[in-house]
Amino acid sequence: MAHRRPAGGTSSPSSSVTDNENAIRLLESLQNDFKSLSMETKKKYPQIKEASEEAIVKLRNSAAVAADHLQQQQQQPHHHHHQIYYVVNQILYPVVQGCETKEPKIVKMCLGTIQKLITHRAVDQKGARYITDTLWMLMESGTEHVKVLQSVTLLLTTDCVVRGETLARNLVLCFRLHFTKDSQAVINTAGATVRQLVALVFERVMHEDEQLEQQLKDYNEDDNGDAQQQRNGIDSSAPLQDHKQQQNNRTQPLPQLHHHQYNGSNVSGNENISAVSSLAPCAADAYHMFQDLVRLVNTDRPYWLVGMTEMTRTFGLELLESVLSDFQPVFYKHMEFRYLLKERVCALVIKLFSPNVKHHSGNSSARRSTITNTGTGASSVSGNNNSSVMMMGVTGGAGSPTSNHRGDDRPHYAITVRLLRLVSILVRKYHKLLVCIHFINR
């Protein structure tokens, strides 16, 4: 599960000293990194050399300030973190410039510096956006794909600052590398990264739910204490009604969602906003991601995972299966996820099992042409082709696109196996949620 940044607040003097010592060591290490970058770029890239020297000066000044606070033992950790974030956002410029050169040696040095900043939790949301844009640029240019995947994994698993659109962009980056045609090692690494990060998004939801439940429990205990004081004639401050009201709102139904019959593409943007309006940030990210996975398998364009150019049904079904198998509590706790399960996943399974979308036997050369001609404009691939999603053919064992030269049975079989496993999970783990209420009432 992703580590959370320690909450701000007052800490003991010993922890303050330790925090400042770690900061000083980080700042000194970064100075050495930028000295190496300056030496490497002084002949061919003088502008990067100059930016690196400016970064060294800023780091040296920040280290001096940290050393002064260490000596006085008066600096609070959370306040110092804000200073570190400010300095880091300033020194990222020469690192981004170094990556833009696309020279392997310089790019490796810059990615090493980026990974060091991430592992020391010296990156805030603004810095995470800069780093994500840089990694995206390297992905599109075909530079150091494996180290890019390593950096994405560190960025998302070390801390919880990457959310929303930045999180979606990192996920899309990994998906696109999974379907690259360049290297089998990159394909396998990216596939494993996608599986890990999809699970991570839902692990964040479970951790977030635990935190919210604990906060509500603590509030209720304080509220009960205040009520007891009032009965004893002691004045107390008014409780925080907003937090309690927010929890109550989460139990209210979403009538505008439950009256729509799903046909694969009838969810408007307004409905999507309504569905996540009561969700906490991590839960909203998981909702968007899961919804788009279902849409991709259903050959629809994603709402949140913008930039997806390729996807396969077998890999998408595998991801849906892993989420439904490992994160059952999320679907039982949140009505928004229950809606997706009943109105989206079940409809998708019925559609893919339906006889009118079976893989038709026909001109095999035409099918291979459809599989080969991939691109951003190929999302109009017919839903009747049961082995393709958006732009690609059925996947092999690792989820990579492969055209089938053995006939029509193999892709049909691969999807059917995934569907059967998905149905098994729905029946075993979600039958209580999927019981038809109208049928029972009869």
Side-chain angles (χ1 to χ4, degrees), residues 9-257:
T10 304
S11 60
S12 63
S14 60
S15 65
S16 178
V17 172
T18 302
D19 202 73
N20 279 279
E21 289 176 347
N22 293 333
I24 292 174
R25 284 194 289 268
L26 172 62
L27 293 171
E28 291 175 348
S29 178
L30 290 173
Q31 290 181 57
N32 294 330
D33 291 346
F34 281 101
K35 288 177 182 177
S36 300
L37 181 61
S38 176
M39 292 294 295
E40 186 65 31
T41 59
K42 65 179 181 179
K43 292 183 179 180
K44 195 173 182 180
Y45 303 99
Q47 71 278 12
I48 299 179
K49 174 183 178 295
E50 182 179 350
S52 299
E53 292 176 347
E54 293 178 0
I56 293 172
V57 173
K58 294 175 182 177
L59 289 168
R60 187 182 297 121
N61 294 336
S62 182
V65 173
D68 181 61
H69 288 313
L70 176 63
Q71 183 177 3
Q72 298 177 5
Q73 295 187 358
Q74 293 178 346
Q75 182 70 10
Q76 297 295 334
H78 71 281
H79 179 73
H80 181 70
H81 271 306
H82 292 309
Q83 184 181 13
I84 288 292
Y85 301 151
Y86 177 74
V87 174
V88 167
N89 290 336
Q90 288 185 319
I91 65 173
L92 279 176
Y93 180 64
V95 175
V96 174
Q97 282 185 311
C99 291
E100 289 175 349
T101 65
K102 300 180 180 63
E103 291 196 9
K105 187 175 182 179
I106 297 177
V107 171
K108 287 181 180 179
M109 294 174 61
C110 294
L111 287 178
T113 301
I114 288 175
Q115 292 180 3
K116 182 180 295 184
L117 292 172
I118 295 172
T119 53
H120 283 81
R121 293 188 173 91
V123 177
D124 61 1
Q125 292 183 354
K126 184 178 180 180
R129 287 195 297 271
Y130 291 154
I131 292 174
T132 299
D133 292 340
T134 302
L135 297 176
W136 185 276
M137 179 266 298
L138 292 175
M139 178 270 295
E140 290 188 323
S141 65
T143 308
E144 294 294 334
H145 279 167
V146 174
K147 290 190 72 69
V148 166
L149 289 169
Q150 292 173 350
S151 301
V152 170
T153 303
L154 283 175
L155 184 62
L156 268 62
T157 59
T158 302
D159 215 330
C160 198
V161 297
V162 181
R163 294 178 179 173
E165 294 181 0
T166 307
L167 174 61
R169 193 169 174 83
N170 280 276
L171 292 172
V172 171
L173 184 155
C174 296
F175 271 109
R176 290 180 61 167
L177 287 181
H178 177 55
F179 294 114
T180 184
K181 311 301 188 299
D182 298 334
S183 167
Q184 189 62 40
V186 173
I187 292 173
N188 294 338
T189 304
T193 303
V194 168
R195 295 179 183 94
Q196 178 184 359
L197 298 183
V198 167
L200 172 70
V201 172
F202 274 84
E203 288 172 359
R204 288 182 175 184
V205 180
M206 298 185 69
H207 184 82
E208 183 179 64
D209 289 342
E210 292 174 359
Q211 288 184 326
L212 291 175
E213 289 177 359
Q214 185 61 42
Q215 292 174 6
L216 183 59
K217 180 180 178 181
D218 294 342
Y219 166 73
N220 288 335
E221 291 177 354
D222 295 340
D223 198 15
N224 292 335
D226 292 341
Q228 183 63 34
Q229 290 178 356
Q230 289 179 356
R231 284 194 295 269
N232 294 336
I234 303 176
D235 294 334
S236 61
S237 59
L240 303 177
Q241 296 295 337
D242 291 341
H243 179 76
K244 195 168 184 179
Q245 183 63 34
Q246 180 182 5
Q247 296 297 326
N248 292 334
N249 290 339
R250 295 180 54 80
T251 63
Q252 298 300 319
L254 299 177
Q256 71 273 26
L257 292 176

Side-chain angles (χ1 to χ4, degrees), residues 423-438:
V423 170
S424 175
I425 292 173
L426 292 174
V427 172
R428 288 186 292 107
K429 295 192 173 185
Y430 298 95
H431 62 279
K432 293 182 180 179
L433 295 181
L434 301 178
V435 173
C436 182
I437 299 177
H438 296 290

